Structures are given as C-alpha cells and as structure tokens.
Amino acid sequence: MTVRAASSVLVGRQREIATLRDALGRARDGEPATVLVGGEAGVGKTRLLEEFSAGATAGGARVLVGQCLELGEAGLPFAPFAAALRAVLRADGAEVFAGYEAEFARLLPELGRVPAGLAAPSVRPLTDAPRGYLFDLVAELFQRLADARPLLLIIEDLHWADRSTRDLIGFLVRAARPGRLLLVCTYRTDELQRGHPLRPFLAELDRARGVERVELGRLDRDGTGAILADLLGGEPAPRAVDDIHDRTQGNPFFIEELAVAGSPLGCAALPETLRDLLLARVDRLPEPAQRVLRIAAAGGTRFAHGLLAEVAGLPEAELEDALRAAVAAQLVVADHDGDYEFRHALVREAVHDELLPGEHARLHARFAAAIEAQPHLVVAGRAPAEIAHHWHAAHDHPRALVAARVAACAAADRYAYAEQRRLLERALELWELVPDAADLLGMDHLALLEQTLDAAVTAGDFSRAITLTRAGLAEVDADAEPLRAARLLDQRGRLMALLGKSDGRRELDEAYRLAAGGPFGVERVRLLADVAAHLVKIDPEQAARVAAEASTDAEALGEELVLLPTRIALLCHQQQGDRLAELGRAETVAQAAGDTAALVLVKVFQSDVLCELGRYAESAQAAEVGLAEARRVGIGRSTGAYLLSNRAEALIALGRWDEAEKVCAEAARIDLSGVTGLHWLQLGAGLRLARAHPGADEMVDRALAFLGRPYLWPNHRLPLHELAIEAALAADDKIEAVRAARVAVADDSLSHLPREGWPVLSAGARTAARVGDGELAAAVAALAADLPTRHPAARAHAAQVSALLAADDEALPAWREAVRAWRTDGQPYPLGRALLALAEAAAAAGERDEVSAAVTEAAEIARLLGATPLAETAATLARRVGLRGTGTGGAGADLLTSREREVLRLVAEGHSNSRIAERLFISPKTASVHVSRIIAKLDVTNRGEAAALAHRLGLLAEPAAPR
C-alpha cells in the first residue's frame, strides 16, 4: 500500500476555523482583530492556517506570512515582518513603501537606499524614538494594504520571537490597530517553560481589545482514523486506528510519522527521525532528571509519586528536583492528585526503548514487587494488571504466569473480557516456559485454553476463538470427556457460521451426539440447550426436538432457567403466536433472575420484532436500553453488537439518518468480528448510497465481499443481494443491475423470508422496469404472487412491486396505492421514491396538480434526509415537466416552449433534423439548436431518451389552457 507522506485533509478543526473566519469577518468590517493560536508541536497549527489562508485568499483577502527563527533573543530582529514585507516588495515593487524605502531598509536591506551600516540593526540598534517612527511606518503600510483589500498577517512560531518582534506585534495590537487587518500568531505551548519571555507577553495581549486565544488540542480517535484513511488511501482497520491513536494520543504529526514508517498494525518501532526528535529535549535535562525519567518510563505513561519514590529509592529532595526539571522542560505534567504523566506517550516510549536490557528487567521487577507489597500505590482495581505487566516485562516467567491468571480473573470481574482474553493468551504463551505451570495455576492446560476460548467468544474475538477450538479439540479425549468435547464442538459450529466458513451443522450434529450420550446433569442440559439455539437458523425442526429433550431434563433437575436463552431464540423464529408477549415474559424472568446476558438477548430479539412490525420508534428504544445493559457487562462486541445494527435499522426507517450514521460509526470503531459486523455494514453502505457519500463505493464493496464467503445465513445474504442491485442502479450500470437481480431472485431462501425477500423483489422490479427486461419482471411477479405480506413494510413493498410492473394505463392508480402503503408504514425514504414514481405516472396522465404535490413532498423528504440523489431526481423531474415554485428546480425549471414541443413531437415520431426543418419551415441548423436545447432541458443524453421520456411524462400533449 502506498502511504502519502502528509495528510491532505484538515480533521477536527471546525470550531477553530469558525473562530478564525469570524475574526476575519470583523476585520473586513473595519474592526482590528488578533487571534493567538497555541498548541503543542505537531498538533496542526500550520495546517490549520494553511486551510484558513486558502479560504481567505479565495474570499478576496491578501495573506502575508512571516516566521520567527529559532535563534533566541539575540537572533535576527523583526525576522517575521521582514519575510512578510519581502513578499510585499516582490508583489508590489518598491513604490509600495511610498518614498520611505530608506526607513524600511532597516527591515529589508535589499531596498538598498541606506548605507549598509544602517541596514543592520544588530550593528546599530534603533533608539526608542526612531523605532517608534519605524513602527508607525509599518502600521501605515499595513493600513494602505488593508484599504485595498482585507489583510491577513500570519506570524508563526511566536515562541521563538525576539524582543523587537514582540514589541512591534504589541504596537500593532494595542496602539496602531490598523483597520481591516487580522493578525494571527502561532506558538507552541510546550515550549513555554517558566520564565519564557512569551508568557508575560501573551498575558499582556490578552488584556487588549479584539484579542482571542485558540488552543489546538489533540485529535480524538475519529480524527486519527480520518487522517490514517487519507494517508493510506482507504479505511484503516479499527484496531490499527486504536493502536496509532493510543501511541500518538491524537497528535497529527506523530500520526503521519508512524503511518509513513510502515503498516500501522505492525509499526512496533518508532522511526529513528521521530525518536531523535522526541529524545532531544530529554537529552538537555540534567543527568539526575534523565535517570528519574528512565525509571518513570518503566512505570508507564502515568505514574504516582509514591510508587516512583518507592522504586527509585532516592532521597525525597533529590527526586523532587529531578521531577521539577522534567516538569519545567514540559516533558512531564503534574495533576491535582499529586501524580504525574508524560506529556506525550511517545516520549515515554522513546525513553523506555533506550533502557539497557538488564536495566529494563530490573526496573520492571522493582515496580512489580513494589505494587505487590503496596497495591494502594496504583489506581484502585489496577494492581493485578500492573503486577502482571511488570513481571512479564521483567521476564520472570513463573511470577508472570501466576500474575496473568490472577489479573485475568480480576478483568472478568470487571466485565473486561477483551483484557481477560489477552491476559489468558499470555498465560498460554508462558505455559511451556514454566515446568510446574499446572501446579502453580491449579488447572490443566485444556482448562486454561477453555477459559481463554470463553473470554474470546464473549469479547467478540471470533477469529481467535475458532483457532482456540481447534487447539482444544486436538487436546481433548472425547471418549473420556464427551461433554467437554461437545462443548468445544458446539462453540466451533457456531463460530463457523459467524465467520461465514460453513453452517456449522457437522460440528453441531457431533456435539449433539456426544452430549446426548453424556452423563445426565445440568452441564448436559446446558449443552443441549445451546445446540438447539445454534441449530434454529439451520434446521428449526431439529432445533425444536433438541430443545424439547433439554426441557425434559431441565424439569427433572429443576433447572429450567438454563433454557431461557434457547427459548428466546426459538420463539423469535416462529411466525405464530404473540412473539412480543412471549418476549415480555422472558424479559421478566431474566430480570428476576439477574441474568443480564439473557436480558440483552431479549432486547436483541425484541428490537428486531418491533422493527419487523413497523414499530420503529419502539424498536430503536428497545435497542438503546439493551445496548446500555450490554456495555455494562462487557458484551458490546458479541451479543450487544446486534443491538447496534438493530438500532441503526430502526433509525434509518424513522428517517433519523444522522443518528443512524453515528451508530454505524460506533459499530465500525468496535471492529466487530465475522458476520456480526455485516448488518451494520450493509445498512451503512445503503445509507451512503442514498446520500451519495464519497465513501459509498468502498463501503458497498466491503459489504458485498461477504457474498464471497463459503456460507452466509439467508437473512444476511438477501439484504446483500438488494444492496448489489441498488449499487448497480445508482451507478447506472444496467448490465450489472440485471445480473445482480437475476442472482437475487434465484436465491432459494427468498420465498421463505418475506421480511428480507420483499426489498429484494422491489429492487428487482425496479431493475426490470428501468431496463425493460420482461423475463426478469415475470420472475419477480411470480415470486411476489406467493410471498406473504404480514406487516406494513411488506405490504408497501408488495404495492410498489405491483406499481413497478404495472402497464402504462394502470400505473397511476398502482402508484397511488404504493404511496398510501408507504405512508402507513412510515418510512420517509421509500415514500419519497414512490412519490417521484407517482409524479411520473401522473405527468403521463396529465394530472399536473398531482405531479406538483408529489414532487414537492419528495423534494422536502430528500432535504430532511440529506438524500442527495433523491433530491437531484426530484429537481430533474420538476425541470422536465416544467414545474415552478416546487423548491426543486429553481431558475432552471423552464417549460419547453411551444416550438420546442413541436420539435420534440417530431423527434418522437423519428424524424431527422432535416425533415423537422422541412415540416416546420425552419433551417436544419435551427432544428438542431432546438433539439440540443430539448436534450439539455430534459437532462437526457440523446434523442431516443428524449422521445421515450416525452412519452412517459406526457410532454407531447398540448399544454392546458391557463385558468
């Protein structure tokens, strides 16, 4: 993958840009304005001003830029002003200085109007009086430039400014105050150590009228992801974003450096250039302070004073002096609790990487021992994880093994299942390095592997989990421990389906065989119940039989609660009975038992059923409640993942698209594994298509790639067929649309899944109507005739399919019925599309008032949704039929003139331009001009399309007489 060296996008700076634009607006009105932009090195101050300057220039402002030099107080005076004035001299010539070239030569020696000695301020410094005169001349020059057009003066790196530069800036801000001038100065906040001359200067400027401060902070995770996407030329993996963001803490320069250094997921080492940059300030510290920083780096990015004192073993005064030097150098910051934190995580990483091997092991061992002895030295609840980390870093394998297991248990108690899985994985790695591992942990290797597998499944790390099932099955003795083997097979079967590798039936059948022959007890009941729940999507009848067997055993044991998740899954795959009432009863049982996992499962199916019933607001609410519970117990990446996509689906149906996009973005950040990440991806891709989002094609491709997997559950596969058709239609790729539609209608599962099947038939009918494919239309009609319509959305799709396939003389009443059905269902987007189809049918029938009302309503729906293609279609239709005042066509919605209608009528009859000229007694050239205008007004590409459209919209009829 080619990685761009620097990001071309400005991310997360909308508020700051708005502040700068407001300041420029005040300057345009004659009010002097100054903005001081602060931020740490690399945070994006220059990039912000580049973006702002480009906009200011486009808006007619003049931009001058000057940069302070890193030469200190004894450096070149007025350096940034000299650079700005040099640009003025090049652009306007010496005459711009209005005869004061000799005076300005003190700033620009190249003016050459004064003796060389006078042009060197360092040799002959200005006295206060001449300097004040020079300041007045500079202010007057800026005023003259600003009188011509607004002036933006940018002074960068003010932390390096010399005294003279600061004085001139102070004069311009407090005394001269030229009108129509916006002065913007940048500075590094991490350079402003105690005693820095800029600190009191900024305080003085803050008291002046018209001065604003803007502090640029680091980017959040989404900002990091946006920069990486731009650098990499595509969406980065969520885990890559997490890794880069954790290491860079949102500093754009560091993000770029790490991305360019190599693959974000594999970029373990800091680039040498970045390492040298980070360590330069450390190297300037006194040696005792550097030594303390090395100790602190072993403790982590954040460290407590007490813990550092314990590990360092230094006298308190010596330790405080070292920390004071690090704080003054802006390498470490202190918080209100008396603890410390490296100002940037990469500084800690660079210092830590400099430790010698023996020093590294020794320091980490001291940290581990100190925390074991005094757990209160770290944040409450973090001691187990900290101890495990330090013993592992110290390469003390026996202690690291035990500590990892203890920390994993502590993580599970906090529902931190991903952390638990990582710690248990570490224990598995250490097992072979510790001869008495089984004795130390009190369990065999398979038990540790099973715990790791359970943690991986709960955390949603399915790819790793399926690998662990393979390892477990290779180790277990199925004859001696059938239930243990059955548990592994059951998990593997479900994971195979979740990852799209197979339906898992072979593994589930074998799991049932082993469980059925296993010893009677609660574990056997639980296994049979799980097998039944996993079979329900593959073979509902077999699932019911296994569930009945488990139920009989559960009643005999008095353990009916074990069956709750299975009963929830079974009832939601049946169409008879009151599913919501049954789910309500299950919810009550789960709440009474304190079974949060079952409660979350109830909310998954409850939100799904409500959405199918067309009760979209209730569905969104149920999903939101379930999400809160899922997050509370740490199952947001497993069971809770379905609630994210269910909520997004309901929000899309409600027309709350901005909220739905945020939910999809949250799902993307979680980086869901296997097909748990498909539903939101399919929804998000459809949403982006409907909004003509620039990233729509990429997301569509990612979603459709799932069709290449060996197996997908039908309720996941059918929506992808619909997406493939809609994507092809959006791209006006008729061949691909027909191919995708034929594949979709040939899917055997379509006739058994009306909820997913009807949208596919709608898309297929739309394709058949668009391309005039009678064979495809007949296939769709045949399937539609037998597909049930139990709920509002299904009935609306059925009406829409009928309208799409209707004959011309039946189209208008058919589309009226489709619009009524979509109003009943309540989804605004399909209603908008149906309204436009109704408008076309009404236009063909000459029902002009109905056309206007339908187009106007559709245009308003498109505006509220941000559905750009729908809005454009409404505008085009309005223009074609000559509507005015609909809010869609604007000034371009011109009616065809009577002459153009005559020409169009002859075009529709198949006449050439020469024949049209003869019939209308005009020249062929004039006929050609008329035809070109007609094609442009109707927004078509050729004469044939113009003729077809004219017939469809009734444009060949004589216009009605005015009323």
Side-chain angles (χ1 to χ4, degrees), residues 895-932:
L895 286 166
L896 296 179
T897 64
S898 57
R899 174 62 83 183
E900 286 167 348
R901 286 180 180 275
E902 290 177 317
V903 171
L904 179 57
R905 195 172 293 111
L906 294 173
V907 167
E909 291 173 5
H911 296 295
S912 66
N913 288 351
S914 299
R915 183 60 179 156
I916 292 171
E918 292 177 10
R919 292 282 296 271
L920 299 181
F921 304 102
I922 57 178
S923 71
K925 182 177 181 181
T926 301
S928 175
V929 170
H930 281 309
V931 171
S932 297

Side-chain angles (χ1 to χ4, degrees), residues 525-526 528-534 536 543-544 546-556 558-574 576 578-587 589-590 595 598 601-602 605-606 609:
V525 171
R526 186 176 284 110
L528 290 173
D530 285 350
V531 170
H534 299 158
V536 72
V546 176
E549 187 176 342
S551 180
T552 300
D553 289 354
E555 290 176 8
E559 293 284 349
E560 294 186 8
L561 192 61
V562 171
L563 296 175
L564 182 58
T566 302
R567 286 174 175 161
I568 293 169
L570 288 171
L571 72 89
C572 285
H573 286 84
Q574 67 186 32
Q576 293 77 30
D578 190 341
R579 292 179 293 168
L580 283 179
E582 291 289 337
L583 284 169
R585 284 189 281 274
E587 182 177 4
V589 172
D595 189 342
L601 192 62
V602 167
F605 290 115
Q606 196 177 68
V609 172

Side-chain angles (χ1 to χ4, degrees), residues 625-651:
V625 171
L627 271 171
E629 290 296 317
R631 289 167 182 149
R632 185 174 66 82
V633 297
I635 54 175
R637 288 191 77 240
S638 50
T639 311
Y642 297 106
L643 287 163
L644 274 175
S645 55
N646 284 0
R647 178 163 169 76
E649 184 176 20
L651 291 172

Side-chain angles (χ1 to χ4, degrees), residues 209-234:
R209 186 165 61 88
V211 176
E212 287 183 89
R213 279 225 214 183
V214 171
E215 292 288 334
L216 279 193
R218 297 169 183 171
L219 299 176
D220 59 14
R221 183 197 176 281
D222 289 345
T224 299
I227 288 183
L228 284 175
D230 180 61
L231 292 171
L232 302 174

Side-chain angles (χ1 to χ4, degrees), residues 135-212:
F135 284 8
D136 281 332
L137 290 176
V138 172
E140 289 172 7
L141 172 61
F142 287 151
Q143 185 63 72
R144 290 198 302 274
L145 295 175
D147 287 341
R149 52 179 170 149
L151 181 63
L152 169 60
L153 175 61
I154 297 173
I155 306 294
E156 291 205 75
D157 297 324
L158 198 57
H159 51 279
W160 288 330
D162 60 279
R163 170 68 183 273
S164 298
T165 296
R166 294 197 300 272
D167 288 346
L168 180 48
I169 290 172
F171 176 78
L172 291 173
V173 172
R174 294 193 300 267
R177 300 176 60 78
R180 290 165 59 84
L181 167 67
L182 171 59
L183 175 63
V184 180
C185 303
T186 71
Y187 61 94
R188 290 183 185 172
T189 53
D190 50 341
E191 294 280 351
L192 303 188
Q193 304 170 19
R194 189 178 301 277
H196 195 291
L198 187 61
R199 294 178 71 157
F201 179 67
L202 291 175
E204 290 176 18
L205 292 184
D206 281 338
R207 293 193 289 271
R209 186 165 61 88
V211 176
E212 287 183 89

Side-chain angles (χ1 to χ4, degrees), residues 97 99-121 124 126 133-134 137:
F97 298 103
Y100 293 100
E101 290 87 344
E103 288 77 5
F104 278 104
R106 295 179 179 277
L107 300 178
L108 292 178
E110 57 263 44
L111 284 173
R113 298 294 182 86
V114 294
L118 294 179
R124 293 188 55 181
L126 293 172
Y133 178 51
L134 178 62
L137 290 176

Side-chain angles (χ1 to χ4, degrees), residues 40 83 95 99 113 120 340 344 356 378 407 426 457 473 725 815 836 865 901 944:
E40 67 181 2
E95 58 272 16
R113 298 294 182 86
Y340 298 91
H344 205 287
L356 297 172
V378 296
R426 181 186 297 169
V457 171
L473 287 168
I725 299 169
W815 278 114
L836 291 184
L865 295 177
R901 286 180 180 275

